[in-house]
Amino acid sequence: GRFYQHAPTETSQATLASVSPVFAVMKFDKKGNTTYFEKKKTELYQELGLQARDLRFQHVMSIATRNNRIIMRMEFLKAVITPEFLLILDYRNLSLEHWLLNELASQLAGEGQLVTYSLPFEFRAIEAILQYWISKLQGRLNTLQPQILETLEALVDPKLLSVDRSKLHILLQNGKSLSELETDVKVFKETILEILDEEEVIEELCLSKWTDPQVFEESTSGIDHAEEMELLLENYYRQAEDLLNEARELRVLIDDSESIIFINLDSHRNVMMRLNLQLTMGTFSVSLFGLIGVAFGMNLESSLEEDPRIFWLVTGIMFLGSGLIWRRLLSFLGRHLDPPLPPHVPPVLKKSQPAAGRVEIKTSLKGETFGLNRSTITNQ
């Protein structure tokens, strides 16, 4: 009875262990040496002193500490930082492998352009990852910006009577990409800001401060490691803020350009409508006086058809009357469609005066016009 009672439990444990995910791990030590290996999730979090939920990486962005370990999630970039080494999990990505092999190893070994070489290893690892991510966001913006500017330059041309649909399609795609970039930068900013608002989290990020106090006492020049970490995070927060401002300016430029495009199209549409209205007026004028020719073309006898000069007289009256009516209609159209002239400003108001003077002028004008009707004010 005991044998059958424990057999299902052992089978289930073996099954769960066999289906545990396997991580492809790249390990970097303090000298930049790199090793590759594959390890199951259960074995990895046990060796690191973590729990299973700590290695549950979703496509989110966060920086957290667990058991003197820093866990960084930068969407597809998954890293675990200790005072002695850096682990990159699931690194099999073409763009990620290029950065890992060509840049990260040299940066951790002290051959890069980091500003934290005088600080413990975790500072270098954090700065290298943050620098990679902010440069990736900056590269996306540098790719979008010339494409958007070129497309807008082609669309805003006032000489164009119509809009190229292919350009609009490109602008729509670039607008979506820009929105995604803005979202990613905002998430990056919020992630760093959450840490900056919590002093305890900043303290926990300084791993060497707790594992090796002697390193902390000898490596700093009167500045606490927590302050160094805060300055490091503030630096990349400021870079993300500048990047977000550039993206917002580009978004405002797109919105303004869309307004200009619509104004140009409306202007050309108004020109075509006005031309159509003018031709309609001309047709009406010719048709109105064409009734005279229709009347004379009927098979009716009168004394006028016997005069050889009557043809030229009637034709002249028709063209002259049509021209006069068309001219009259065009002047009527111009008076009602042309924009009105700006109102006349008295020379007293044009002069630059102090604020008190302007208030006195406005008050006097209000006192003079108070109680008068609209026609009297207009005449004045």
Side-chain angles (χ1 to χ4, degrees), residues 6 69 81 200 278 289 293-294 325:
H6 292 284
R69 303 285 188 267
I81 303 173
E200 296 180 357
Q278 291 175 354
F289 279 87
V294 173
I325 290 183

Side-chain angles (χ1 to χ4, degrees), residues 157-227:
D157 189 0
K159 298 180 181 179
L160 296 177
L161 299 179
S162 61
V163 178
D164 190 358
R165 292 185 178 180
S166 60
K167 296 291 185 180
L168 287 178
H169 183 67
I170 295 174
L171 183 62
L172 179 61
Q173 291 180 342
N174 292 335
K176 292 181 179 179
S177 301
L178 184 62
S179 300
E180 294 175 358
L181 176 61
E182 290 178 351
T183 302
D184 293 341
V185 176
K186 288 179 182 178
V187 173
F188 182 77
K189 274 185 52 185
E190 293 174 356
T191 302
I192 297 180
L193 185 60
E194 289 178 358
I195 301 176
L196 292 175
D197 292 339
E198 299 291 338
E199 295 182 1
E200 296 180 357
V201 178
I202 296 178
E203 293 279 352
E204 293 175 356
L205 291 176
C206 305
L207 304 181
S208 300
K209 184 175 181 179
W210 310 104
T211 58
D212 193 358
Q214 184 179 0
V215 174
F216 164 68
E217 294 175 358
E218 296 177 355
S219 63
T220 59
S221 57
I223 300 179
D224 187 70
H225 274 195
E227 297 179 2

Side-chain angles (χ1 to χ4, degrees), residues 10 51 84 89 97 154-155 166 172 209 228 237 245 279 307 311 322 341 355 367 379:
E10 295 176 358
Q51 297 183 5
E84 302 295 333
L89 310 181
E97 284 185 352
L155 290 174
S166 60
L172 179 61
K209 184 175 181 179
E228 297 279 4
Y237 177 83
N245 290 334
L279 294 177
D307 192 350
F311 171 77
S322 300
L341 295 176
N379 294 332

Side-chain angles (χ1 to χ4, degrees), residues 346-362 364:
V348 180
L349 298 180
K350 292 183 179 179
K351 298 179 180 180
S352 58
Q353 298 179 356
R358 290 198 296 269
V359 174
E360 292 176 0
I361 292 173
K362 292 180 180 179
S364 61

